[in-house]
Amino acid sequence: MRLATWNVNSLNVRLGHVLDWLATADVDVLCLQELKLTNEKYPQAELRAAGYESAINGQKTYNGVAILSRLPMADISADMPDYADQQRRVIAATIGGVRIVCAYFPNGQSLESDKYRYKLDWLDAMQAYVARQLAQHPRLALLGDYNIAPEDRDVHDPAAWEGQVLVSPKERAAWSALLGQGMVDCYRLFEQAEKSFSWWDYRMLGFRRNAGMRIDHVLASPQLATDCRACVIDRAPRKLEKPSDHAPVVADFAA
DNA sequence: ATGGCTCGTGTAACGAGA
């Protein structure tokens, strides 16, 4: 079973890239973030023609997430039930015996911002949500744009970024707490090239200079992680005309 | 030099992203 996550930064703009990528990526499930469109405007027909059904939690202008699957989906659930959120950032479904959670973690903007406080509260809620999901689903995958670079090796210039949003101690503590629940960073199960990133700033020739961060992740529960055979970041779509600033991350599981 | 680009909105700048 092949699972992927991709922050597309507007599905309107990126639909062509998504369809082209699905045609060759051979993934069973694709989690999308930053749709920036409502459920009414979701391109259901085009994706269905490509062989994928969708579970959608859309929002106008900002946020919005979806799970695309070429296998049957069950028990679709939008948002975190015990966290009242105006922003559409979470959708979950059970596919092929795996509980899939697709999440767009808040950015936080800066440590002084109200958005940072919101991010920390949201991270607390996600912690509790994952605990409940784990209790119910031994085979759990949490895929998405975490807006957290877990370690300094996930940052192109750790000195310049030290203490800032995406790498602050409180954000990294939230990441560590997810690992503390048993969740496994699939990407680090395997040997990877140095300076492997999943996001590059549009400005300053970020991609050409490989000035990026690894902030898009696939975490798997202990039982599911034992079946993980590979995890890669596919940089190819980032090289296209008008790309998303994020690249897809793909994780391959036996059975 | 704290910007630099790309979105949506709406049809001009501006907020937001990271």
Side-chain angles (χ1 to χ4, degrees), chain A residues 40-63:
Chain A
E40 292 71 30
K41 297 197 170 174
Y42 187 85
Q44 192 76 254
E46 292 91 336
L47 290 164
R48 196 169 274 157
Y52 291 83
E53 290 296 320
S54 302
I56 317 159
N57 191 12
Q59 182 179 338
K60 183 181 167 74
T61 311
Y62 301 116
N63 311 306

Side-chain angles (χ1 to χ4, degrees), chain A residues 1 28-29 51-55 67-76 93-100:
Chain A
M1 191 179 197
D28 299 293
V29 175
Y52 291 83
E53 290 296 320
S54 302
I67 298 173
L68 282 59
S69 176
R70 61 183 182 187
L71 303 172
M73 282 188 279
D75 300 322
I76 294 166
T94 300
I95 305 169
V98 178
R99 187 62 175 169
I100 305 283

Side-chain angles (χ1 to χ4, degrees), chain A residues 53-140:
Chain A
E53 290 296 320
S54 302
I56 317 159
N57 191 12
Q59 182 179 338
K60 183 181 167 74
T61 311
Y62 301 116
N63 311 306
V65 290
I67 298 173
L68 282 59
S69 176
R70 61 183 182 187
L71 303 172
M73 282 188 279
D75 300 322
I76 294 166
S77 165
D79 304 319
M80 295 187 279
D82 296 331
Y83 183 71
D85 195 349
Q86 300 305 306
Q87 306 187 20
R88 306 278 76 83
R89 296 180 173 278
V90 175
I91 183 111
T94 300
I95 305 169
V98 178
R99 187 62 175 169
I100 305 283
V101 179
C102 168
Y104 175 43
F105 288 46
N107 170 279
Q109 197 168 59
S110 73
L111 270 59
E112 301 75 30
S113 170
D114 290 343
K115 297 188 180 72
Y116 183 70
R117 169 45 53 193
Y118 164 67
K119 182 175 191 173
L120 296 181
D121 289 343
W122 194 97
L123 289 168
D124 279 347
M126 177 53 69
Q127 196 68 31
Y129 178 75
V130 167
R132 283 195 303 275
Q133 293 289 313
L134 265 177
Q136 296 167 25
H137 309 283
R139 294 175 71 76
L140 173 70

Side-chain angles (χ1 to χ4, degrees), chain A residues 5-18 30-37 59-66 103-104 107 144-145 147 198-203 215-216 237-238 241-248:
Chain A
T5 180
W6 194 4
N7 179 326
V8 289
N9 185 19
S10 170
L11 185 56
N12 271 331
V13 176
R14 232 64 68 188
L15 179 60
H17 287 187
V18 170
L30 173 58
C31 296
L32 297 181
Q33 302 87 39
E34 283 208 83
L35 305 181
K36 297 187 174 181
L37 48 73
Q59 182 179 338
K60 183 181 167 74
T61 311
Y62 301 116
N63 311 306
V65 290
Y104 175 43
N107 170 279
D145 176 358
N147 272 314
S198 66
W199 167 85
W200 302 263
D201 203 309
Y202 284 124
R203 302 166 293 183
I215 55 176
D216 301 271
R238 189 62 176 78
E241 286 293 313
K242 285 180 83 71
S244 170
D245 42 357
H246 296 252

